[in-house]
Amino acid sequence: KDRGAAVSMRKEVDANGKTIMRPVKKGVRDFSFGRVLGEGSYSTVYFATDRQTLKEYAIKVLEKKHIIKERKIKYVNIEKDTLNRLTEHPGIVRLYYTFQDENSLYYVLDLCNGGELLGVLKKTGTFDEECTRFFGAQILDAIEYMHSRGVIHRDLKPENVLLDDQLHVKITDFGTARLLSDPRAPQAPPRIEDTGTSSRSKDQDDDSRAASFVGTAEYVSPELLTNKNACKASDLWAFGCIIYQLLAGRPPFKAGSEYLTFQKIVNLDYEFPMGFPSAARDLVERCLVLDPARRLTIEHIKNHEFFDGQQFGKALWRTKAPRLRPYA
Ligand SMILES: C[C@@H](Nc1nc2c(c3cc(-c4cn[nH]c4)ccc13)C(=O)N=C/C2=C\CC1CC1)C(C)(C)C
């Protein structure tokens, strides 16, 4: 069922003169398209206004011909299924409805006026601890919600963390997510040392992309590089990389080529810049652990000293963003 189906109702009079409400599916004509907000590999995201309600949205447009030629139909379906599964969390970009015309697919989504977190970070270079805590707590809250709905993002990075006009986080880009068939199944993380014997669970077989997909080099977890499949803890590896990057101004693993970056990751070859705050350092060190089974869990991270005094849950999403300041 396309959750994006009939959204607005139109009053009409039927054959016997009775007034009825007929569901009306919105289409391209109902929106006036503005500037391009972002370009993905298979999509373009536009600013758009609903002509009727004047509400502003982001509309992601995917060209059918291109998706078919590039054999990305599965990604498109995964993204739509994921967005339809992640419906009510302030930290996740919301999909309102979808429609299509002969050439393209259209997703009507939350507009994130603040753009990408990476862009904001580049302006100040680094964030101080208060800002890092503010953004980190929201990203963690959103990851907790995703995992509770059986979704592993697999490509978390500052480019995919968008901001709304209150500088609140909106996680996006779910085309590479992994949907666990049973969201509640406690997912046993694969142990690095016995990769040879790791049993291929049902999910892995379903998720034929498990063997092929690898995220963005700097944020890829070691288990994805060694035994090919991501688990929920893989998103917490990326979380550790993001916390490091917000305070240091660069990701922990970055080398001249993807291959050299991968080498650094599997060898846990990174160091902290001088003056990196100690609580944050301890948190990052406990997230950037090669064995996913030994990485901090979300609960542990929320209770970590770095987040002392930080509220999570509803209260978190009502707090005002701190002034953006660089780390001294
Ligand atoms: C990461 C993504 N970039 C973006 N994706 C989305 C934006 C977005 C907005 C700005 C922006 C706004 N103001 N200034 C810049 C810059 C980049 C954006 C938005 O507002 N709403 C939903 C989006 C995506 C939803 C998608 C999950 C379905 C790529 C590069 C892939 C196009």
Side-chain angles (χ1 to χ4, degrees):
K1 175 177 165 309
D2 178 349
R3 213 178 58 81
V7 272
S8 65
M9 310 294 272
R10 194 200 304 273
K11 203 178 268 188
E12 289 192 356
V13 178
D14 71 4
N16 355 341
K18 200 160 64 64
T19 304
I20 53 166
M21 296 304 286
R22 184 184 300 283
V24 177
K25 192 155 160 75
K26 293 219 181 229
V28 191
R29 312 298 326 132
D30 296 303
F31 296 90
S32 62
F33 284 71
R35 71 185 178 93
V36 169
L37 296 174
E39 308 255 8
S41 23
Y42 303 97
S43 65
T44 304
V45 176
Y46 294 88
F47 174 91
T49 312
D50 181 322
R51 292 182 194 280
Q52 208 182 354
T53 65
L54 295 188
K55 277 193 184 149
E56 298 177 339
Y57 294 97
I59 297 189
K60 177 171 184 165
V61 183
L62 302 103
E63 199 190 353
K64 290 183 192 175
K65 205 165 59 263
H66 186 50
I67 294 165
I68 293 163
K69 185 161 54 70
E70 301 287 319
R71 291 194 300 286
K72 294 294 170 188
I73 296 170
K74 190 155 189 180
Y75 278 79
V76 170
N77 292 332
I78 288 275
E79 176 163 73
K80 193 172 161 193
D81 294 349
T82 307
L83 288 164
N84 281 329
R85 223 194 242 197
L86 303 176
T87 45
E88 63 269 349
H89 190 278
I92 308 276
V93 159
R94 186 163 157 212
L95 174 64
Y96 294 91
Y97 24 81
T98 62
F99 47 80
Q100 58 181 297
D101 59 21
E102 59 282 1
N103 303 323
S104 308
L105 303 175
Y106 300 85
Y107 295 6
V108 180
L109 301 134
D110 274 326
L111 174 62
C112 306
N113 274 309
E116 299 170 7
L117 177 61
L118 182 69
V120 174
L121 176 63
K122 281 195 169 139
K123 285 201 188 91
T124 53
T126 60
F127 287 150
D128 66 3
E129 286 177 272
E130 191 190 4
C131 293
T132 301
R133 212 180 344 268
F134 175 74
F135 291 122
Q138 293 178 68
I139 294 168
L140 191 66
D141 207 67
I143 292 173
E144 184 173 41
Y145 171 73
M146 274 188 265
H147 288 182
S148 73
R149 311 283 296 138
V151 173
I152 304 174
H153 188 285
R154 294 203 301 184
D155 195 15
L156 281 176
K157 53 185 177 179
E159 295 90 317
N160 287 342
V161 176
L162 300 175
L163 301 169
D164 65 13
D165 31 23
Q166 316 295 323
L167 286 190
H168 282 138
V169 154
K170 294 265 181 201
I171 296 200
T172 185
D173 218 2
F174 293 91
T176 51
R178 180 157 168 228
L179 296 185
L180 303 177
S181 44
D182 173 359
R184 287 166 308 288
Q187 227 225 338
R191 301 193 59 79
I192 295 278
E193 53 276 8
D194 65 2
T195 44
T197 60
S198 66
S199 61
R200 290 181 58 75
S201 77
K202 196 181 104 31
D203 294 320
Q204 281 151 4
D205 299 339
D206 291 359
D207 186 344
S208 59
R209 292 170 304 132
S212 59
F213 172 70
V214 159
T216 305
E218 287 77 11
Y219 307 90
V220 165
S221 57
E223 60 273 13
L224 208 58
L225 295 172
T226 48
N227 70 352
K228 292 284 173 226
N229 61 352
C231 53
K232 290 181 177 178
S234 307
D235 283 341
L236 297 180
W237 171 279
F239 177 79
C241 292
I242 292 171
I243 295 295
Y244 177 105
Q245 181 170 357
L246 298 186
L247 286 160
R250 60 175 174 78
F253 306 101
K254 189 145 184 65
S257 71
E258 277 205 347
Y259 176 76
L260 290 173
T261 302
F262 292 158
Q263 283 284 71
K264 282 179 162 276
I265 290 167
V266 295
N267 296 321
L268 205 59
D269 171 11
Y270 77 106
E271 58 274 324
F272 291 91
M274 286 297 292
F276 196 94
S278 61
R281 174 175 180 137
D282 185 77
L283 172 60
V284 170
E285 283 170 346
R286 293 175 194 278
C287 290
L288 301 187
V289 172
L290 289 179
D291 179 352
R294 295 203 182 91
R295 243 165 255 162
L296 281 192
T297 62
I298 290 177
E299 216 37 52
H300 286 134
I301 297 173
K302 287 164 89 168
N303 294 321
H304 188 278
E305 179 200 350
F306 178 69
F307 283 116
D308 267 1
Q310 177 65 49
Q311 293 176 307
F312 287 91
K314 287 223 179 315
L316 164 63
W317 298 92
R318 282 197 294 268
T319 45
K320 240 170 74 57
R323 263 177 39 72
L324 299 182
R325 271 188 290 269
Y327 182 66

